[in-house]
Amino acid sequence: MLSILSGGVTLPQTAGTADLSARTARAVALLKESPHTLDGFLKLSEIFESTTLDPHSRETVVLTVAERNQCHLCVDMHEGKLAALGPAPAPERLAAVRRFTLQVLAASGAVSDADLDAFLAHGYTRQNALEVVLGIGTYTVSTFANRLTRAA
């Protein structure tokens, strides 16, 4: 199940990843109580993974939402996925997408022109800004469901 929920990345089997795999399987089992919610999350996740945001930026959005929503399962899973991507080619871009994600969350989407311009100044596009919103929505479903079912 880890590969389904983490976008197809399989982490090397260690004691930590075996535990993460078991935790993920438990979360999926709990979420199956609502097949529509599980299916919706999986479809949204697949769509988010196909956006024009680069993989490092996508994982930064996910981690930002997971940390904000205190979903320890998602934090652990996506820290592993981000690490598997290797070093970020431009760490300042990731800092910008993290800031922007937090600003979108804090403003319920109504970020200031200055905040949007600061995001765009790091090479992101208006399309990317909307894709951040998609990532926030997708991983709000996941993190809230994990916390509700006590999977996190």
Side-chain angles (χ1 to χ4, degrees):
M1 288 295 173
L2 178 60
S3 63
I4 291 173
L5 293 180
S6 62
V9 170
T10 303
L11 301 175
Q13 283 300 310
T14 65
T17 58
D19 175 60
L20 182 58
S21 183
R23 290 170 56 207
T24 303
R26 178 177 178 271
V28 170
L30 291 167
L31 196 51
K32 282 183 180 179
E33 189 167 339
S34 172
H36 293 95
T37 304
L38 177 59
D39 187 50
F41 167 69
L42 292 174
K43 286 178 181 174
L44 285 170
S45 180
E46 182 180 341
I47 293 166
F48 182 61
E49 288 297 315
S50 73
T51 65
T52 62
L53 282 169
D54 65 273
H56 284 89
S57 293
R58 284 194 308 266
E59 286 306 313
T60 299
V61 170
V62 175
L63 275 168
T64 303
V65 173
E67 289 167 355
R68 178 190 180 269
N69 293 342
Q70 299 177 8
C71 180
H72 305 296
L73 172 61
C74 290
V75 168
D76 292 347
M77 181 184 308
H78 290 279
E79 280 180 346
K81 188 172 177 187
L82 186 59
L85 292 173
E92 65 280 357
R93 275 180 50 90
L94 299 187
V97 77
R98 178 176 174 72
R99 268 191 312 277
F100 185 70
T101 301
L102 289 170
Q103 291 162 337
V104 170
L105 284 161
S108 300
V111 298
S112 70
D113 290 342
D115 290 338
L116 180 57
D117 289 344
F119 178 67
L120 299 176
H122 286 277
Y124 291 106
T125 65
R126 290 182 175 277
Q127 179 178 349
N128 293 149
L130 289 168
E131 292 167 349
V132 167
V133 172
L134 174 62
I136 290 169
T138 301
Y139 285 90
T140 296
V141 170
S142 175
T143 59
F144 281 19
N146 285 341
R147 294 199 62 192
L148 178 74
T149 63
R150 310 300 189 259

